[in-house]
Amino acid sequence: MVDVFDEVEEQLRSDRYKTLARKTAPWVVGGLAIALAGSLGYWAWDSHRSRTAAEASEKYAAAVESFGSNNTAAAVTGFEAIAKSGTPAYKALSLMQLAGIKVEEGKAAEAVTLFDQAAEAAPDEALADAARLKSAFALIDTAPYAEIEKRLTPLTEEKRPYRVQAKEALAFAKLSAGKMDEARSDFSVLTLLPESSEQVRERARTAMQMIDSGSAKSLPAIAKAAATATPTLPSAAPAPAMVPGGAQ
């Protein structure tokens, strides 16, 4: 008799499992389908992103080559196209190249706008700060000291990628504004910073000597030379991720 009850209970348990399976199967299958669709969607998106970055890299290199060959019109066309449809890194790089061309044409205000747009588009701090630093240098001869200070001061903070260059630029801006004591203090710090290059230390020592001798008002030429220490833009950048004065 016990065997009969066991068999009946087993049958009932089996029937319950079958009923439960029939009820849950659509949800399980649906969940698997969603997971599969998600995986396929991510793969398609990642492949598209990589392909887009590779295409942008080729177009960017071609535009740089055009500029190097003095075909500025073709370079501008190329950079403008990338700035509209490229990945964030190449968009930022192209905007910076266009801004550099505006600087060469003496159109500082337009250059600053483009540098600021590049900083907004940049996908990482290194590229964004490179654009911000170049923007400040584009203004350094014409803007009030207060504006230069506002732009450069955040870039001088610890762990910012172009901290030394920003501190040097701010020191020269103070010098140009007649803030001799503050400028000398900043130059003194630059000679002591471990991350300062020998060129930066040498310029700082020269500036300090000229301040001490009273001839610092003749330093605009040195300030111009310091501007050449800003990050240079690459002719091409890695397709997937970050670039130096560049990124993705």
Side-chain angles (χ1 to χ4, degrees), residues 39-57:
S39 297
L40 290 174
Y42 174 80
W43 175 83
W45 172 81
D46 190 56
S47 297
H48 172 72
R49 183 184 64 171
S50 299
R51 185 168 59 253
T52 301
E55 291 173 356
S57 176

Side-chain angles (χ1 to χ4, degrees), residues 47-189:
S47 297
H48 172 72
R49 183 184 64 171
S50 299
R51 185 168 59 253
T52 301
E55 291 173 356
S57 176
E58 293 176 2
K59 291 177 181 178
Y60 179 80
V64 170
E65 185 176 352
S66 295
F67 186 73
S69 301
N70 295 319
N71 191 348
T72 304
V76 168
T77 298
F79 290 135
E80 286 179 342
I82 299 167
K84 291 177 181 177
S85 60
T87 59
Y90 289 104
K91 177 178 181 178
L93 285 168
S94 295
L95 286 167
M96 291 170 73
Q97 294 283 11
L98 290 168
I101 292 172
K102 293 297 183 183
V103 169
E104 291 296 322
E105 294 174 349
K107 300 176 180 177
E110 294 179 38
V112 168
T113 297
L114 290 166
F115 279 132
D116 290 346
Q117 289 175 359
E120 288 293 324
D124 66 26
E125 191 175 73
L127 184 54
D129 274 9
R132 294 182 186 115
L133 187 59
K134 286 176 174 288
S135 181
F137 268 117
L139 285 169
I140 206 163
D141 286 338
T142 57
Y145 170 76
E147 183 173 353
I148 301 300
E149 182 184 36
K150 181 180 178 180
R151 286 175 173 270
L152 288 175
T153 298
L155 307 184
T156 66
E157 295 172 357
E158 291 285 345
K159 298 183 179 180
R160 295 299 282 260
Y162 302 111
R163 177 173 176 247
V164 171
Q165 292 93 330
K167 288 182 77 69
E168 183 181 26
L170 187 55
F172 277 113
K174 289 177 179 178
L175 196 61
S176 297
K179 300 176 181 292
M180 298 297 175
D181 291 341
E182 293 181 36
R184 195 190 190 290
S185 177
D186 287 356
F187 285 125
S188 179
V189 170

